[in-house]
Amino acid sequence: MATLSLLIALLSIGTVWSQTGKGTVPQIIEKNGRHALLVDGKPFLILGGQAHNSSAWPGMMPQVWTAIEAMHANTLEVPIYWEQIEPQQGKFDFSLVDTLLKQGREHKVHLVLLWFATWKNGSSHYMPEWMKREPSKYPNITGKNGQSVDSPSPHIIAAMEADAKAFKAVMAYLEKADQQHTVLMVQVQNEPGAWGSVRDYSAEAQKLFEGQVPEKLLKPEILKALNKPADAKGTWTEVFGKDADEYFHAWSVASYIGYVAAAGKAVNQLPLYVNAALRDPITNPSANTYESGGPTDNVIPIWKAAAPAIDLLAPDIYLSGSEKVIKVIELYSRLDNALFVPEIGSSEENTRYFYAVLTSGGIGFSPFGIDDNGQGETASETKARLASIAQEYAMAAPMMRELAKWSFEGKIKSVVEREDHAAQTIDLGSWQATVTFGAARRSAVQANAKPISKAMVVQLGEDEFLLIGTLCHFTFKPLGANAGKVWQYLKVEEGQYENGTFKLLRIRNGDETDWGGPRIGAVPVVLRTTLVVR
Ligand code: DGJ
């Protein structure tokens, strides 16, 4: 019954969503506080991989595709460079974009384009030569002691206009050249902000800093979200006290990028996002210890107010330790922000966060630096390096649309193995699952040396679940009215969704479900499992 009702629900939702039609612009929608990226009118999950910074050149792309294929990815995140696109002021060259579009289509892989422009990791190294040669027209910021800082000033109208003009040209080009929407989203800049100074202390910036905080930022809900009195007004220091320098820089950078983004949005409605070099999400560190001015978790409300043309702010996850990573995932999945992880290290430990992203309604996941970057790796070495994420994407790819829909509907719960390797529970209404981590052995769990396991439960019905994971073991107990009753597996079916239908590989029973419930080994499997109380 549960399966039938699921099918009916799928069909009816499909009808509503498909009204937007094939070929419509991808868009991000929100419902009940959860988000989906609609592609061809239906939720889509980005199984992504990001190329190295200098790999979007035609001679480098074969290695990128080797990596994408090895990963079973459906989306490539790849930079496009302002310096290459506008080598002379006002003269645009879209040949690299053309190559990416053509090759993406040949490989049946979507693209997320990364606009490396005014900011790339806090510096302006991708500004075209004609700008680099005029430092006084396009200056960097000045540090507190008057020192020059390798980071562009967000207060320079000429630079902002030049970036907006180039970005608009890119977006207008895509509007014409990509009517089939190979490109799903565009990242505007890359990790903007400044390293080495919390803000710009140039005379011009100082004048603005001593002026009044703009009205747009003085909304009670924004001030409250920033832990300031709801009726505060005055200068940056008066309103924001010790946070004034950072908040001023965040406002300035976000306003500049918001302007660039709006110029692009005016000609092409593709979703736009900005990625963040993170700060420690737990310790509230001082602003001079991380990249200041970018969309770090503490200034998300400032970015939302300053840059409404940006659809989402995305965390680049290079933190270690599950407590911090899970906290970041929580902080960037908000009512006003769809979660998307455009960069994360490609280690086996990091693969487990793919599950956590699905639980938080995330629209995609994308390890950074997938190609061999000119190291001369063989295809099988690339495959071995990417094996951990590859096996997850291989599992997820045939059921990508279902996973995206379940994630949007909040039906996916997951746990990732923590550093203490302790068992964890998942509440599922009438049932509670307990997940233990480690190699799947018949009589005893052999602990993992590193925390690499993860487990996901998709709630299909009251008693019907999909169990997915690696190196883990599930057991259940009934809750509520059935608490304490004897129960058993009605059926444990191992298989895979294909074209919206579950295809059975085998029914697990006997040794494969006795000895305390189904165990999953090093390769992820999908177990459609129904429980019954006796
Ligand atoms: C984060 C940046 O966004 C990427 O472009 C790249 O520079 C990596 N860091 C380097 O590991």
Side-chain angles (χ1 to χ4, degrees), residues 50 53 116 120-121 190-191 275 316 318 343 368:
Q50 185 169 145
N53 292 169
F116 282 14
K120 164 68 178 81
N121 296 22
N190 191 86
E191 294 192 349
N275 59 335
D316 287 353
Y318 292 99
E343 290 185 40
F368 174 81

Side-chain angles (χ1 to χ4, degrees), residues 153-398:
S153 168
H155 305 293
I156 305 303
I157 305 296
M160 185 174 81
E161 291 289 1
D163 194 335
K165 201 170 153 203
F167 186 63
K168 185 175 180 177
V170 169
M171 295 294 277
Y173 187 77
L174 289 176
E175 171 72 11
K176 280 207 221 75
D178 188 31
Q179 296 193 344
Q180 66 210 83
H181 303 299
T182 300
V183 178
L184 300 181
M185 299 205 283
V186 179
Q187 178 186 293
V188 193
Q189 318 296 332
N190 191 86
E191 294 192 349
W195 294 95
S197 182
V198 175
R199 69 169 172 93
D200 187 4
Y201 292 85
S202 66
E204 190 185 355
Q206 190 58 27
K207 207 164 139 209
L208 292 169
F209 182 73
E210 284 163 13
Q212 300 290 298
V213 173
E215 282 297 322
K216 266 207 277 180
L217 201 48
L218 293 177
K219 305 259 166 59
E221 65 279 11
I222 300 175
L223 291 166
K224 247 176 86 190
L226 295 167
N227 297 316
K228 305 295 171 198
D231 59 352
K233 52 177 179 299
T235 65
W236 287 87
T237 306
E238 284 163 353
V239 176
F240 295 117
K242 65 173 182 34
D243 299 315
D245 292 332
E246 182 189 8
Y247 288 11
F248 172 72
H249 201 52
W251 173 261
S252 307
V253 174
S255 300
Y256 180 123
I257 295 176
Y259 183 85
V260 172
K265 261 278 161 77
V267 294
N268 188 334
Q269 292 293 300
L270 275 177
L272 303 177
Y273 74 94
V274 176
N275 59 335
L278 302 176
R279 65 178 202 144
D280 186 309
I282 293 170
T283 58
N284 192 25
S286 131
N288 58 9
T289 62
Y290 54 90
E291 187 178 8
S292 171
T296 46
D297 67 83
N298 54 326
V299 295
I300 290 175
I302 297 179
W303 271 79
K304 293 285 174 189
I310 295 293
D311 296 84
L312 67 96
L313 304 168
D316 287 353
I317 303 184
Y318 292 99
L319 298 161
S320 53
S322 56
E323 192 191 358
K324 286 184 185 171
V325 175
I326 297 291
K327 183 73 188 168
V328 164
I329 287 172
E330 273 168 34
L331 288 169
Y332 283 84
S333 41
R334 304 162 39 118
L335 192 60
D336 62 358
N337 199 65
L339 175 68
F340 174 52
V341 178
E343 290 185 40
I344 185 164
S346 60
S347 70
E348 194 177 8
E349 275 125 301
N350 281 340
T351 298
R352 49 194 171 140
Y353 303 119
F354 173 53
Y355 286 37
V357 165
L358 284 172
T359 298
S360 292
I363 62 166
F365 186 83
S366 186
F368 174 81
I370 56 165
D371 52 302
D372 92 323
N373 203 14
Q375 298 305 301
E377 217 174 52
T378 63
S380 54
E381 284 165 347
T382 302
K383 212 169 169 179
R385 178 169 51 79
L386 297 168
S388 144
I389 190 68
Q391 63 176 21
E392 295 302 330
Y393 284 1
M395 172 275 293

